Amino acid sequence: MHQRHGKPAVESTYTSLAVQRAQRVGGASDVPRVIHRLTGHTRGVSSIDWSPDGSMLLSASGNRVWVWDMNTGAFVRHFTHRRQPVLAVAWLPDGVRFVCGGADKSI
């Protein structure tokens, strides 16, 4: 499970992601509750990153970078990165652009 700077946690189940937020149930401790299930990846998810404002999520799967709207959980679009798998994704500080690194050592 991946959690970053107070943003919801993300758990990978190979080809899908479950975005979870802690919720207090009665007098018990916080219990994770799935708020979005991000499906559609055709290969395992290798990397994720939250946009600086937390409204978008990047995920890398195979040779694609997927962009998700975290307000709705909707798939926005994907970008194909050559023919090699994408190993890492990261938003730039402006929250508009991102970079990805592939198995072919390209960025």
Side-chain angles (χ1 to χ4, degrees):
M1 189 163 346
H2 307 278
Q3 192 164 10
R4 182 174 166 194
H5 308 294
K7 294 177 176 74
V10 178
E11 183 175 324
S12 176
T13 57
Y14 189 64
T15 60
S16 69
L17 298 171
V19 181
Q20 303 174 347
R21 186 177 306 276
Q23 178 181 17
R24 187 161 304 272
V25 178
S29 59
D30 292 347
V31 175
R33 180 180 68 90
V34 174
I35 55 175
H36 299 302
R37 191 164 304 280
L38 312 179
T39 60
H41 300 99
T42 56
R43 297 188 181 193
V45 176
S46 57
S47 180
I48 63 164
D49 193 39
W50 288 96
S51 62
D53 68 359
S55 67
M56 305 291 276
L57 184 77
L58 294 174
S59 60
S61 174
N63 69 335
R64 293 183 174 170
V65 175
W66 301 67
V67 183
W68 305 90
D69 180 334
M70 288 294 90
N71 294 316
T72 63
F75 165 73
V76 176
R77 69 173 294 180
H78 70 261
F79 297 89
T80 302
H81 176 74
R82 306 185 190 218
R83 295 174 190 234
Q84 296 292 318
V86 177
L87 303 178
V89 292
W91 285 98
L92 294 176
D94 65 10
V96 175
R97 299 172 295 158
F98 65 89
V99 295
C100 64
D104 59 358
K105 300 182 182 177
S106 66
I107 296 179

